[in-house]
Coordinates of all heavy atoms in Angstrom, one line a residue:
M68 N -7.2 -23.2 -0.5 CA -6.4 -23.0 0.8 C -7.1 -23.6 2.0 O -6.6 -23.6 3.2 CB -6.0 -21.5 1.1 CG -5.1 -21.1 0.0 SD -4.7 -19.4 0.2 CE -3.5 -19.4 1.2
N69 N -8.4 -24.1 1.8 CA -9.1 -24.6 2.9 C -9.4 -24.0 4.3 O -8.9 -24.5 5.2 CB -8.5 -26.2 3.2 CG -8.4 -27.1 1.9 OD1 -9.3 -27.0 1.2 ND2 -7.3 -27.6 1.8
F70 N -9.8 -22.8 4.1 CA -10.0 -21.9 5.3 C -11.2 -22.6 6.0 O -12.2 -22.9 5.6 CB -10.5 -20.6 4.9 CG -9.3 -19.6 4.5 CD1 -8.8 -19.5 3.1 CD2 -8.7 -18.9 5.4 CE1 -7.7 -18.8 2.8 CE2 -7.6 -18.1 5.1 CZ -7.1 -18.1 3.8
S71 N -11.0 -22.6 7.4 CA -11.9 -23.1 8.2 C -12.0 -22.3 9.5 O -11.1 -22.2 10.2 CB -11.7 -24.6 8.7 OG -12.6 -25.0 9.6
P72 N -13.1 -21.6 9.7 CA -14.3 -21.3 8.7 C -13.9 -20.5 7.7 O -12.9 -19.9 7.6 CB -15.2 -20.6 9.6 CG -14.4 -19.7 10.7 CD -13.2 -20.6 10.9
P73 N -14.7 -20.6 6.6 CA -14.5 -19.9 5.3 C -14.4 -18.5 5.6 O -15.0 -17.9 6.5 CB -15.7 -20.2 4.5 CG -16.2 -21.5 5.0 CD -16.0 -21.4 6.5
L74 N -13.5 -17.8 4.8 CA -13.3 -16.3 4.9 C -14.6 -15.6 4.9 O -14.8 -14.5 5.6 CB -12.3 -15.7 3.9 CG -10.8 -16.0 4.2 CD1 -9.9 -15.6 3.1 CD2 -10.4 -15.4 5.5
G75 N -15.5 -16.0 4.1 CA -16.8 -15.2 4.0 C -17.6 -15.2 5.2 O -18.5 -14.3 5.4
A76 N -17.3 -16.1 6.1 CA -18.0 -16.1 7.3 C -17.5 -15.2 8.4 O -18.1 -14.9 9.3 CB -18.1 -17.6 8.0
V77 N -16.2 -14.8 8.3 CA -15.5 -13.9 9.3 C -15.1 -12.6 8.8 O -14.8 -11.8 9.5 CB -14.3 -14.7 9.9 CG1 -14.7 -16.0 10.6 CG2 -13.2 -15.0 8.8
V78 N -15.3 -12.4 7.4 CA -14.8 -11.0 7.0 C -16.0 -10.1 6.9 O -17.0 -10.5 6.1 CB -14.1 -11.2 5.7 CG1 -13.8 -9.8 4.9 CG2 -12.8 -12.0 5.7
P79 N -16.0 -8.9 7.5 CA -17.1 -8.0 7.4 C -17.1 -7.5 5.8 O -16.0 -7.2 5.3 CB -16.9 -6.9 8.3 CG -15.8 -7.4 9.2 CD -15.1 -8.5 8.5
E80 N -18.2 -7.3 5.3 CA -18.3 -6.7 4.0 C -18.2 -5.3 3.9 O -17.8 -4.8 2.8 CB -19.7 -7.0 3.4 CG -19.9 -8.6 3.2 CD -21.2 -8.9 2.8 OE1 -21.9 -8.0 2.1 OE2 -21.7 -10.1 2.8
T81 N -18.2 -4.5 4.9 CA -18.2 -3.0 4.8 C -17.1 -2.3 5.1 O -17.0 -1.1 5.2 CB -19.5 -2.4 5.7 OG1 -19.2 -2.9 7.1 CG2 -20.8 -3.0 5.3
A82 N -15.9 -3.0 5.4 CA -14.8 -2.4 5.8 C -13.5 -2.9 5.2 O -13.6 -4.0 4.6 CB -14.5 -2.3 7.3
S83 N -12.5 -2.1 5.1 CA -11.1 -2.8 4.7 C -10.8 -3.8 5.6 O -11.0 -3.7 6.9 CB -10.1 -1.7 4.7 OG -10.4 -0.7 3.7
N84 N -10.1 -4.9 5.2 CA -9.6 -6.0 6.1 C -8.4 -6.4 5.8 O -7.9 -6.4 4.7 CB -10.7 -7.2 6.0 CG -12.1 -6.7 6.5 OD1 -12.4 -6.7 7.7 ND2 -13.1 -6.6 5.4
F85 N -7.7 -6.8 6.9 CA -6.3 -7.4 6.7 C -6.3 -8.8 7.4 O -7.0 -9.0 8.3 CB -5.3 -6.5 7.4 CG -5.4 -5.1 7.1 CD1 -6.1 -4.1 7.7 CD2 -4.6 -4.7 5.9 CE1 -6.2 -2.9 7.2 CE2 -4.6 -3.3 5.5 CZ -5.5 -2.4 6.1
L86 N -5.5 -9.7 6.6 CA -5.5 -11.0 7.2 C -4.0 -11.1 7.8 O -3.1 -11.0 7.1 CB -5.6 -12.0 6.1 CG -5.6 -13.5 6.4 CD1 -6.9 -14.0 7.0 CD2 -5.3 -14.3 5.3
A87 N -4.0 -11.6 9.0 CA -2.7 -11.9 9.6 C -2.7 -13.3 9.9 O -3.8 -14.0 10.2 CB -2.6 -11.1 11.0
Y88 N -1.6 -14.0 9.7 CA -1.5 -15.5 9.9 C -0.1 -15.9 10.5 O 0.8 -15.2 10.3 CB -1.8 -16.3 8.5 CG -0.8 -15.9 7.5 CD1 0.3 -16.8 7.4 CD2 -0.9 -14.8 6.7 CE1 1.3 -16.6 6.2 CE2 0.0 -14.7 5.6 CZ 1.0 -15.6 5.4 OH 1.8 -15.3 4.5
A89 N -0.2 -17.0 11.1 CA 1.1 -17.6 11.7 C 0.9 -19.1 11.6 O 0.0 -19.6 11.7 CB 1.3 -17.1 13.1
P90 N 2.1 -19.7 11.6 CA 2.1 -21.2 11.7 C 1.3 -21.8 12.9 O 1.5 -21.2 13.9 CB 3.6 -21.6 11.7 CG 4.3 -20.5 11.2 CD 3.4 -19.3 11.5
S91 N 0.6 -22.7 12.7 CA -0.1 -23.5 13.7 C 0.7 -24.6 14.3 O 0.5 -25.0 15.4 CB -1.6 -23.9 13.5 OG -1.5 -24.7 12.4
R92 N 1.6 -25.2 13.5 CA 2.5 -26.2 14.0 C 3.9 -25.6 14.1 O 4.5 -25.1 13.2 CB 2.5 -27.4 12.9 CG 1.2 -28.0 12.9 CD 1.3 -29.3 12.1 NE 0.0 -29.9 12.1 CZ -0.3 -30.9 11.1 NH1 0.6 -31.3 10.3 NH2 -1.5 -31.5 11.3
F93 N 4.4 -25.6 15.3 CA 5.6 -24.9 15.6 C 6.8 -25.9 15.3 O 7.1 -27.0 16.0 CB 5.7 -24.5 17.1 CG 4.6 -23.6 17.5 CD1 4.1 -23.6 18.7 CD2 4.0 -22.9 16.5 CE1 3.1 -22.8 19.1 CE2 2.9 -22.0 16.9 CZ 2.4 -22.0 18.3
I94 N 7.6 -25.6 14.3 CA 8.7 -26.5 13.9 C 10.0 -25.8 14.5 O 10.9 -26.5 14.8 CB 9.0 -26.6 12.4 CG1 7.7 -27.3 11.8 CG2 10.2 -27.1 11.8 CD1 7.5 -27.3 10.3
S95 N 9.9 -24.6 14.7 CA 11.0 -23.9 15.5 C 10.4 -22.9 16.5 O 9.3 -22.6 16.5 CB 11.8 -23.1 14.4 OG 11.1 -22.0 13.9
V96 N 11.3 -22.4 17.2 CA 11.0 -21.3 18.3 C 10.4 -20.1 17.7 O 9.5 -19.5 18.1 CB 12.3 -21.1 19.2 CG1 11.9 -19.9 20.1 CG2 12.7 -22.3 19.9
A97 N 11.0 -19.7 16.4 CA 10.6 -18.6 15.8 C 9.1 -18.8 15.3 O 8.3 -17.9 15.3 CB 11.5 -18.4 14.5
D98 N 8.6 -19.9 14.9 CA 7.3 -20.0 14.7 C 6.4 -20.0 15.9 O 5.3 -19.2 15.8 CB 7.0 -21.7 14.2 CG 7.5 -22.0 12.7 OD1 7.8 -20.9 12.1 OD2 7.7 -23.1 12.5
G99 N 6.7 -20.3 17.0 CA 6.0 -20.0 18.2 C 6.0 -18.6 18.5 O 5.0 -18.0 19.1
D100 N 7.1 -17.9 18.3 CA 7.1 -16.3 18.4 C 6.3 -15.6 17.5 O 5.6 -14.7 17.9 CB 8.6 -15.9 18.2 CG 9.6 -16.4 19.4 OD1 9.1 -16.8 20.4 OD2 10.7 -16.3 19.2
R101 N 6.2 -16.1 16.2 CA 5.3 -15.5 15.3 C 3.7 -15.7 15.7 O 3.0 -14.8 15.6 CB 5.5 -16.2 13.8 CG 6.7 -15.7 13.3 CD 6.9 -16.5 11.9 NE 8.3 -16.2 11.3 CZ 9.3 -17.2 11.3 NH1 9.1 -18.4 11.7 NH2 10.4 -16.8 10.8
F102 N 3.5 -17.0 16.1 CA 2.1 -17.1 16.7 C 1.8 -16.1 17.8 O 0.7 -15.6 17.9 CB 1.9 -18.6 17.1 CG 0.4 -18.8 17.5 CD1 -0.5 -19.0 16.6 CD2 0.2 -18.9 18.8 CE1 -1.9 -19.2 17.0 CE2 -1.2 -18.9 19.3 CZ -2.1 -19.2 18.3
A103 N 2.7 -16.0 18.8 CA 2.5 -15.3 20.0 C 2.3 -13.7 19.6 O 1.5 -13.1 20.1 CB 3.6 -15.3 20.9
A104 N 3.1 -13.3 18.5 CA 3.1 -11.9 18.2 C 1.6 -11.7 17.4 O 1.2 -10.5 17.6 CB 4.2 -11.7 17.2
M105 N 1.2 -12.6 16.5 CA 0.1 -12.4 15.8 C -1.2 -12.4 16.9 O -1.9 -11.4 16.8 CB -0.3 -13.6 14.9 CG -1.6 -13.6 14.1 SD -2.2 -15.0 13.4 CE -2.5 -16.0 14.9
A106 N -1.1 -13.2 17.8 CA -2.3 -13.2 18.8 C -2.2 -12.0 19.7 O -3.2 -11.5 20.0 CB -2.1 -14.4 19.7
S107 N -1.1 -11.5 20.1 CA -1.1 -10.4 21.0 C -1.3 -9.1 20.2 O -1.8 -8.1 20.8 CB 0.4 -10.3 21.7 OG 1.4 -10.1 20.7
N108 N -1.0 -9.0 18.9 CA -1.1 -7.8 18.1 C -2.6 -7.7 17.5 O -3.0 -6.6 17.3 CB 0.0 -7.5 17.1 CG 1.2 -7.2 17.7 OD1 1.3 -6.2 18.4 ND2 2.2 -8.0 17.5
F109 N -3.1 -9.0 17.1 CA -4.3 -8.8 16.3 C -5.5 -9.5 16.9 O -6.6 -9.5 16.4 CB -4.0 -9.7 14.9 CG -3.1 -8.8 14.1 CD1 -1.7 -9.3 14.0 CD2 -3.4 -7.7 13.4 CE1 -0.8 -8.6 13.2 CE2 -2.4 -6.9 12.7 CZ -1.1 -7.5 12.6
G110 N -5.1 -10.3 18.0 CA -6.4 -11.1 18.8 C -6.3 -12.5 18.5 O -5.6 -13.0 17.8
K111 N -7.3 -13.1 19.0 CA -7.4 -14.5 19.1 C -7.7 -15.0 17.6 O -8.5 -14.4 16.9 CB -8.7 -14.9 19.9 CG -8.9 -16.4 19.9 CD -10.2 -16.6 20.9 CE -10.6 -18.1 20.9 NZ -11.7 -18.3 21.6
P112 N -7.1 -16.1 17.2 CA -7.3 -16.6 15.9 C -8.8 -16.8 15.5 O -9.4 -17.3 16.4 CB -6.4 -17.8 15.9 CG -5.5 -17.7 16.9 CD -6.0 -16.9 18.0
A113 N -9.2 -16.5 14.4 CA -10.5 -16.8 13.9 C -10.8 -18.2 13.3 O -11.8 -18.5 13.2 CB -10.9 -15.6 12.9
G114 N -9.6 -18.7 12.8 CA -9.7 -20.1 12.3 C -8.4 -20.5 11.8 O -7.3 -20.0 12.1
T115 N -8.3 -21.5 10.8 CA -7.2 -22.2 10.3 C -7.2 -22.2 8.8 O -8.5 -22.2 8.3 CB -6.9 -23.4 10.9 OG1 -8.0 -24.3 10.6 CG2 -6.7 -23.5 12.4
F116 N -6.2 -22.4 8.2 CA -6.1 -22.9 6.7 C -4.8 -23.5 6.5 O -3.9 -23.5 7.2 CB -6.2 -21.5 5.9 CG -5.0 -20.6 5.8 CD1 -4.1 -20.8 4.9 CD2 -4.9 -19.6 6.6 CE1 -2.9 -20.0 4.8 CE2 -3.7 -18.8 6.7 CZ -2.8 -18.9 5.8
T117 N -4.8 -24.2 5.3 CA -3.6 -25.1 4.9 C -3.2 -24.5 3.6 O -3.9 -23.8 2.8 CB -3.9 -26.5 4.6 OG1 -4.9 -26.7 3.7 CG2 -4.4 -27.2 5.9
W118 N -1.8 -24.4 3.4 CA -1.3 -23.9 2.2 C 0.1 -24.7 2.1 O 0.8 -24.7 3.0 CB -0.9 -22.4 2.2 CG -0.4 -22.0 0.9 CD1 -0.9 -21.9 -0.4 CD2 0.9 -21.6 0.7 NE1 -0.1 -21.4 -1.2 CE2 1.1 -21.2 -0.6 CE3 2.1 -21.5 1.7 CZ2 2.3 -20.7 -1.0 CZ3 3.3 -21.0 1.0 CH2 3.4 -20.7 -0.3
N119 N 0.4 -25.3 0.9 CA 1.5 -25.9 0.5 C 1.9 -26.9 1.6 O 3.1 -27.2 1.9 CB 2.7 -25.0 0.4 CG 3.8 -25.4 -0.5 OD1 3.6 -26.4 -1.2 ND2 4.9 -24.8 -0.2
G120 N 0.9 -27.7 2.2 CA 1.1 -28.7 3.1 C 1.4 -28.3 4.5 O 1.8 -29.1 5.4
H121 N 1.2 -27.0 4.8 CA 1.5 -26.4 6.2 C 0.2 -25.8 6.7 O -0.6 -25.4 5.9 CB 2.6 -25.3 6.1 CG 3.9 -25.8 5.6 ND1 4.8 -26.6 6.4 CD2 4.5 -25.8 4.4 CE1 5.8 -26.8 5.7 NE2 5.7 -26.4 4.5
Y122 N 0.0 -25.8 8.0 CA -1.2 -25.5 8.7 C -0.9 -24.1 9.4 O 0.2 -23.8 9.9 CB -1.7 -26.4 9.8 CG -2.1 -27.7 9.1 CD1 -1.3 -28.8 8.7 CD2 -3.5 -27.9 8.9 CE1 -1.7 -29.9 8.3 CE2 -3.9 -29.0 8.4 CZ -3.0 -30.1 8.0 OH -3.6 -31.3 7.6
Y123 N -1.9 -23.1 9.2 CA -1.7 -21.8 9.7 C -2.9 -21.5 10.5 O -4.1 -21.8 10.2 CB -1.5 -20.7 8.6 CG -0.3 -21.0 7.8 CD1 -0.3 -21.9 6.7 CD2 1.0 -20.4 8.2 CE1 0.8 -22.1 6.0 CE2 2.0 -20.6 7.5 CZ 2.0 -21.6 6.4 OH 3.2 -21.8 5.7
H124 N -2.9 -20.6 11.5 CA -4.0 -19.9 12.2 C -4.1 -18.5 11.5 O -3.1 -17.9 11.1 CB -3.7 -19.6 13.7 CG -3.9 -20.9 14.4 ND1 -5.1 -21.5 14.8 CD2 -2.9 -21.7 15.1 CE1 -5.0 -22.5 15.4 NE2 -3.7 -22.6 15.6
Y125 N -5.4 -17.9 11.4 CA -5.5 -16.6 10.8 C -6.4 -15.8 11.7 O -7.2 -16.3 12.6 CB -5.9 -16.7 9.4 CG -7.5 -17.1 9.3 CD1 -8.3 -16.2 9.2 CD2 -7.8 -18.4 9.0 CE1 -9.8 -16.5 9.0 CE2 -9.1 -18.7 8.9 CZ -10.0 -17.8 8.8 OH -11.4 -18.2 8.7
V126 N -6.2 -14.4 11.6 CA -7.0 -13.4 12.2 C -7.5 -12.5 11.0 O -6.6 -12.1 10.2 CB -6.3 -12.7 13.3 CG1 -7.1 -11.7 14.0 CG2 -5.8 -13.7 14.4
V127 N -8.6 -12.0 11.2 CA -9.1 -10.8 10.3 C -9.4 -9.6 11.1 O -9.9 -9.7 12.1 CB -10.5 -11.3 9.5 CG1 -11.0 -10.1 8.7 CG2 -10.1 -12.5 8.7
T128 N -8.7 -8.5 10.6 CA -8.8 -7.3 11.4 C -9.1 -6.1 10.5 O -8.6 -6.3 9.2 CB -7.6 -7.0 12.3 OG1 -7.7 -5.9 12.9 CG2 -6.3 -7.0 11.3
S129 N -9.7 -5.0 10.9 CA -9.9 -4.0 10.1 C -8.8 -2.8 10.3 O -8.8 -1.9 9.6 CB -11.3 -3.3 10.3 OG -11.4 -3.0 11.6
T130 N -8.0 -3.0 11.3 CA -6.8 -2.0 11.5 C -5.6 -2.9 11.8 O -5.7 -3.9 12.2 CB -7.2 -1.2 12.7 OG1 -7.3 -2.0 14.0 CG2 -8.4 -0.3 12.6
L131 N -4.5 -2.0 11.5 CA -3.3 -2.7 11.8 C -2.6 -1.9 13.1 O -2.8 -0.7 13.2 CB -2.3 -2.3 10.6 CG -2.7 -3.0 9.2 CD1 -1.8 -2.7 8.2 CD2 -2.7 -4.6 9.4
P132 N -2.0 -2.7 13.9 CA -1.5 -2.1 15.1 C -0.2 -1.2 14.9 O 0.0 -0.3 15.7 CB -0.9 -3.2 16.0 CG -0.8 -4.3 15.1 CD -1.6 -4.1 13.8
C133 N 0.3 -1.2 13.8 CA 1.5 -0.4 13.4 C 1.3 0.8 12.6 O 2.1 1.6 12.4 CB 2.7 -1.2 12.8 SG 2.1 -2.2 11.4
F134 N 0.1 0.9 12.1 CA -0.3 2.1 11.1 C -1.5 2.7 11.6 O -2.5 1.9 12.0 CB -0.4 1.5 9.7 CG 0.9 1.0 9.1 CD1 1.0 -0.3 9.0 CD2 1.7 1.9 8.7 CE1 2.1 -0.7 8.5 CE2 3.0 1.4 8.3 CZ 3.2 0.1 8.0
P135 N -1.8 4.0 11.5 CA -3.0 4.7 11.8 C -4.1 4.3 10.7 O -3.7 3.9 9.6 CB -2.7 6.2 11.7 CG -1.5 6.3 10.8 CD -0.7 4.9 11.0
P136 N -5.4 4.4 11.1 CA -6.5 4.2 10.1 C -6.3 5.0 8.9 O -5.8 6.1 8.9 CB -7.7 4.4 10.9 CG -7.3 4.4 12.3 CD -5.8 4.8 12.2
P137 N -6.9 4.6 7.7 CA -6.8 5.4 6.6 C -7.7 6.6 6.7 O -8.6 6.7 7.6 CB -7.5 4.6 5.4 CG -7.7 3.2 6.0 CD -7.3 3.3 7.6
P138 N -7.3 7.7 6.0 CA -8.1 9.1 6.2 C -9.5 8.9 6.2 O -10.3 9.6 6.9 CB -7.4 10.0 5.1 CG -6.1 9.3 4.8 CD -6.3 7.8 5.0
E139 N -10.0 8.1 5.2 CA -11.5 8.0 5.1 C -12.1 7.4 6.3 O -13.1 7.8 6.8 CB -11.9 7.3 3.9 CG -11.5 6.0 3.7 CD -10.1 5.7 3.2 OE1 -9.4 6.7 2.8 OE2 -9.6 4.6 2.9
R140 N -11.4 6.5 7.0 CA -12.0 5.9 8.2 C -11.9 6.9 9.4 O -12.7 7.0 10.3 CB -11.3 4.7 8.5 CG -11.9 4.0 9.8 CD -11.6 2.5 10.1 NE -11.8 1.7 8.9 CZ -10.9 0.9 8.4 NH1 -9.8 0.6 9.2 NH2 -11.1 0.1 7.4
L141 N -10.9 7.7 9.4 CA -10.7 8.8 10.4 C -11.9 9.8 10.3 O -12.5 10.2 11.3 CB -9.4 9.4 10.4 CG -8.1 8.7 10.9 CD1 -7.0 9.5 10.5 CD2 -8.2 8.5 12.3
A142 N -12.2 10.1 9.0 CA -13.3 11.1 8.8 C -14.6 10.5 9.3 O -15.5 11.3 9.8 CB -13.4 11.4 7.3
E143 N -14.7 9.2 9.2 CA -16.1 8.6 9.6 C -16.2 8.6 11.1 O -17.3 8.7 11.7 CB -16.1 7.1 9.1 CG -16.3 6.9 7.7 CD -16.2 5.5 7.3 OE1 -16.0 4.5 8.1 OE2 -16.2 5.2 6.1
D144 N -15.0 8.6 11.8 CA -15.0 8.5 13.3 C -15.2 9.9 13.9 O -15.3 9.9 15.1 CB -13.7 7.9 13.8 CG -13.6 6.4 13.4 OD1 -14.7 5.9 13.1 OD2 -12.5 5.8 13.3
V145 N -15.0 11.0 13.1 CA -15.1 12.4 13.7 C -16.5 12.9 13.7 O -17.2 12.8 12.7 CB -14.2 13.3 12.9 CG1 -14.4 14.8 13.4 CG2 -12.7 12.9 12.9
R146 N -17.0 13.2 14.9 CA -18.4 13.7 14.9 C -18.4 15.1 14.6 O -17.4 16.0 14.8 CB -18.9 13.5 16.3 CG -19.1 12.0 16.6 CD -19.6 11.9 18.1 NE -19.7 10.5 18.4 CZ -20.6 10.0 19.2 NH1 -21.3 10.8 20.0 NH2 -20.5 8.7 19.5
P147 N -19.6 15.7 13.9 CA -19.7 17.0 13.7 C -19.8 17.8 14.9 O -20.2 17.4 16.0 CB -20.9 17.2 12.9 CG -21.4 15.7 12.6 CD -20.6 14.8 13.4
P148 N -19.2 19.1 14.8 CA -19.5 20.0 16.0 C -20.8 20.1 16.5 O -21.8 20.1 15.7 CB -18.8 21.4 15.6 CG -18.1 21.1 14.3 CD -18.6 19.8 13.7
G149 N -21.0 20.1 17.8 CA -22.3 20.1 18.5 C -23.0 18.8 18.5 O -24.3 18.8 18.7
F150 N -22.5 17.8 18.1 CA -23.2 16.4 17.9 C -23.1 15.8 19.2 O -22.2 15.7 19.9 CB -22.6 15.6 16.8 CG -23.5 14.4 16.5 CD1 -24.7 14.6 16.0 CD2 -22.9 13.1 16.8 CE1 -25.4 13.4 15.6 CE2 -23.7 12.0 16.4 CZ -24.9 12.2 15.9

């Protein structure tokens, strides 16, 4: 898929990760909307990749804007009483 930079360079090893992607060449207005939604919900693109002759921007994130973190991550974020 020709990730640039390679996924190994941008994916942290210690957490769950999600990959969001959107077309980088806008063939339709919807493609531009998808890119804008990705950037506003997940942040600045980390890189690009190609698949099936099409180019995409991608973002790697450890959380999803539409879902709460998994219970084990919530437990890690809770400090013990008196801490």
